Amino acid sequence: MAQWTSAVGAPQLARLLRSQDPCEAQLTAAGRRLPAYRSLADGIRRLVLEGRVPVAARLPAERELATAVGVSRTTVAAAYEALRAEGFLESRRGSGSWTAVPAGNPLPTRGLEPLPPEAAGSMIDLGCAALPAPEPWLTRAFQGAMADLPLYAHTHGDYPAGLPVLRQALADRYTARGIPTMPEQIMVTTGAMGAVAAICRLCTSPGERVAVDSPSYANILQLMRDAGARLVPVALADKLAGWDIPVWRQVMRDAAPRMAYVVADFHNPTGTLATEDQRRRLVDAARSAGTLLVVDETMTELRLDEDTAPPRQVCAFDPAGSAVITVGSASKAFWAGMRIGWVRAAPDIIRSLVAARAYSDLGSPVLEQLAIASLLEGDGWEAAVGIRREQARENRDAIVEALHRHLPDWEFSVPRGGLTLWARTGGLSGSRIAEAGERLGVRVPSGPRFGVDGAFEGFVRLPFTVSGAVAEEAAVRLAGAARLVATGAPVDTEMRHAFVA
């Protein structure tokens, strides 16, 4: 049985190789020109590590790639052999060759778990993309919830589909945006993670293929791995240009994934905003392939640049509700401590999700649901989101300026919304920078956390959670970590003092 889950055509691979810096691809550190096979092998290896070519992607036959790249078949054969020797390629007679990551390079396991509050004094935490609660709106929301609680205290308190008042408020919000929605199309969940977990349990079985953005949200990737899904990564378009629709169509045709998980609005971790045309075309592709499209909208509200026109939501292009399931949450737009999310889908899907909930968590907390309903029914939600946008915009600008000063060789595009920035680390290992940074007092997740099977080694994710002097100090510590990695120096007490001072 073949081990590859997607395929890269020869013209596509040739285009990706040409997009690399030609000097970087052809010269050694000493300035001597590399042999053609070595340059080709290094180019493919970098594409795999950056996630632009997915892990477990079938590569073109030697003759096809030789024609597309303009080299001899012998050169391609030698490059493939070099990649096999280094662990970046696996082959089987009759099945072809597919990309891999060398053994002994497991995914990092640290960087996204929330830092204990007591450690905040000694560690700058850039691991968790979440901001403090917007006050006074949090307190007011719970005061309103407490006033409404006695009515519900006389019931058993279990509402598997969610409180009717919150389902109605969420449905009204979709309708106001031009997407007619009934309360029967809404299920309230315990955060977006609870929503995706419920959808995975209902709609996929262990071993089935699920297509995902590459990179994508690390915690969702791990959730799906734990559920037994076979993840099929689909690379984003270059320069935060949204989805690469031709590649998505090819993956849906060749891999036939049962489900796809995407983030259309201010993508986590890259900040990418999919265009309206991309949304329409992706829905069409999913419907044609019979793939269920799960769209994560947790960042939708966080538009930081006012001149960025918000595209229509993805579900607007699926009026029958046959192809798209939407996931929303109050965690990013309001406060992660609320742990309230929701699913919008066709009524029959919602009924199935609610029925299956009897075997998981039964329902979400009543008080928190009342608090969110109170915000949505008045002007509290918009006011709180306005505070959140202002905080995130200030933090984004501060971290961008600090990175330009202290890490000028790091490459990134400034996202126009969301809570995260995706930075290429100047050719250094993101995993090693994360390890050195934690010892120097700054916690940052490395790129491989957001890829499938070890891709994106040359990246880190930076959330917009600090500003001012703290953002400056975070950049200083990251620069110290980068210098340690570049020189191969160990991190001890004296060095920590020297690099952080």
Side-chain angles (χ1 to χ4, degrees):
M1 181 177 178
Q3 299 300 305
W4 52 274
T5 57
S6 62
V8 180
Q12 178 191 358
L13 183 55
R15 174 174 56 83
L16 291 171
L17 289 165
R18 285 193 295 269
S19 72
Q20 296 179 329
D21 184 342
C23 295
E24 177 187 355
Q26 296 177 10
L27 299 180
T28 67
R32 294 188 296 272
R33 190 165 296 276
L34 290 170
Y37 86 89
R38 185 69 262 174
S39 176
L40 178 59
D42 287 352
I44 295 174
R45 175 179 53 81
R46 274 193 297 273
L47 290 172
V48 172
L49 289 175
E50 292 174 0
R52 298 174 70 190
V53 168
V55 175
R58 188 176 187 271
L59 294 187
E62 295 170 1
R63 191 185 305 278
E64 294 175 358
L65 185 57
T67 300
V69 177
V71 298
S72 70
R73 183 178 177 181
T74 302
T75 296
V76 176
Y80 279 12
E81 182 58 37
L83 290 168
R84 275 191 289 269
E86 295 165 3
F88 286 95
L89 197 68
E90 296 181 7
S91 303
R92 179 177 297 172
R93 185 177 298 277
S95 298
S97 299
W98 56 91
T99 56
V101 169
N105 287 266
L107 290 174
T109 57
R110 295 180 295 174
L112 294 184
E113 298 79 7
L115 189 70
E118 61 269 18
S122 59
M123 181 75 69
I124 299 175
D125 186 10
L126 299 181
C128 187
L131 292 167
E135 288 288 18
W137 299 107
L138 176 67
T139 298
R140 292 180 183 177
F142 274 101
Q143 288 172 341
M146 289 297 295
D148 294 333
L149 184 60
L151 176 64
Y152 296 89
H154 293 290
T155 74
H156 52 63
D158 286 336
Y159 294 87
L163 293 184
V165 64
L166 180 54
R167 298 175 76 193
Q168 184 67 62
L170 291 168
D172 290 346
R173 190 166 181 80
Y174 280 103
T175 300
R177 293 180 175 180
I179 306 167
T181 303
M182 304 178 294
E184 291 78 10
Q185 292 176 263
I186 302 291
M187 182 178 85
V188 180
T189 63
T190 307
M193 290 287 290
V196 176
I199 295 167
C200 286
R201 285 194 298 269
L202 177 68
C203 300
T204 66
S205 300
E208 285 192 300
R209 290 172 175 168
V210 176
V212 294
D213 292 326
S214 183
S216 188
Y217 179 37
N219 288 340
I220 292 292
L221 294 181
Q222 191 58 49
L223 182 156
M224 291 180 175
R225 290 189 191 100
D226 291 345
R230 295 177 62 191
L231 299 182
V232 182
V234 185
L236 294 172
D238 291 339
K239 299 180 180 177
L240 302 188
W243 296 315
D244 192 329
I245 299 300
V247 175
W248 267 103
R249 285 191 181 276
Q250 180 181 352
V251 167
M252 288 181 178
R253 182 182 66 245
D254 295 346
R258 173 70 184 90
M259 190 174 84
Y261 168 82
V262 296
V263 185
D265 298 284
F266 311 120
H267 173 268
N268 185 355
T270 68
T272 292
L273 177 65
T275 67
E276 193 158 299
D277 182 60
Q278 289 169 342
R279 295 164 192 244
R280 179 186 295 106
R281 293 168 64 196
L282 187 60
V283 171
D284 289 343
R287 186 182 294 113
S288 298
T291 298
L292 186 64
L293 192 61
V294 178
V295 182
D296 187 332
E297 291 187 342
T298 53
M299 296 284 189
T300 299
E301 305 269 10
L302 296 175
R303 177 170 54 93
L304 305 186
D305 294 341
E306 296 300 328
D307 59 345
T308 301
R312 282 183 289 173
Q313 292 169 271
V314 177
C315 57
F317 303 103
D318 181 41
S322 61
V324 176
I325 296 180
T326 302
V327 171
S329 172
S331 294
K332 302 300 184 184
F334 187 73
W335 186 45
M338 296 295 283
R339 305 310 310 147
I340 294 297
W342 54 87
V343 177
R344 181 198 180 275
D348 60 325
I349 294 177
I350 294 297
R351 286 193 294 270
S352 297
L353 288 169
V354 171
R357 200 168 190 182
Y359 309 103
S360 57
D361 64 354
L362 292 178
S364 300
V366 170
L367 188 63
E368 281 78 356
Q369 291 187 70
L370 288 172
I372 295 297
S374 173
L375 288 166
L376 291 173
E377 290 175 336
D379 60 355
W381 181 268
E382 295 300 333
V385 170
I387 294 173
R388 174 65 76 244
R389 288 177 181 146
E390 184 177 344
Q391 289 175 323
R393 186 184 305 115
E394 177 184 339
N395 293 354
R396 178 198 63 181
D397 295 345
I399 196 69
V400 165
E401 292 171 7
L403 289 174
H404 282 320
R405 277 192 295 271
H406 299 287
L407 290 157
D409 58 332
W410 282 22
E411 302 172 30
F412 54 86
S413 296
V414 180
R416 312 198 73 179
L419 286 173
T420 59
L421 181 150
W422 186 241
R424 188 195 301 266
T425 53
L428 300 176
S429 163
S431 297
R432 292 184 180 181
I433 288 174
E435 181 180 5
E438 191 156 345
R439 296 180 185 179
L440 294 179
V442 59
R443 197 162 176 260
V444 59
S446 61
R449 287 296 305 270
F450 305 89
V452 175
D453 294 333
F456 303 108
E457 182 56 58
F459 291 82
V460 295
R461 188 195 74 169
L462 302 171
F464 310 146
T465 53
V466 295
S467 64
V470 180
E472 187 78 11
E473 180 62 20
V476 169
R477 297 184 187 189
L478 283 173
R483 287 194 296 272
L484 287 174
V485 173
T487 60
V491 182
D492 55 28
T493 304
E494 293 183 4
M495 281 194 169
R496 170 173 178 156
H497 177 76
F499 277 101
V500 176

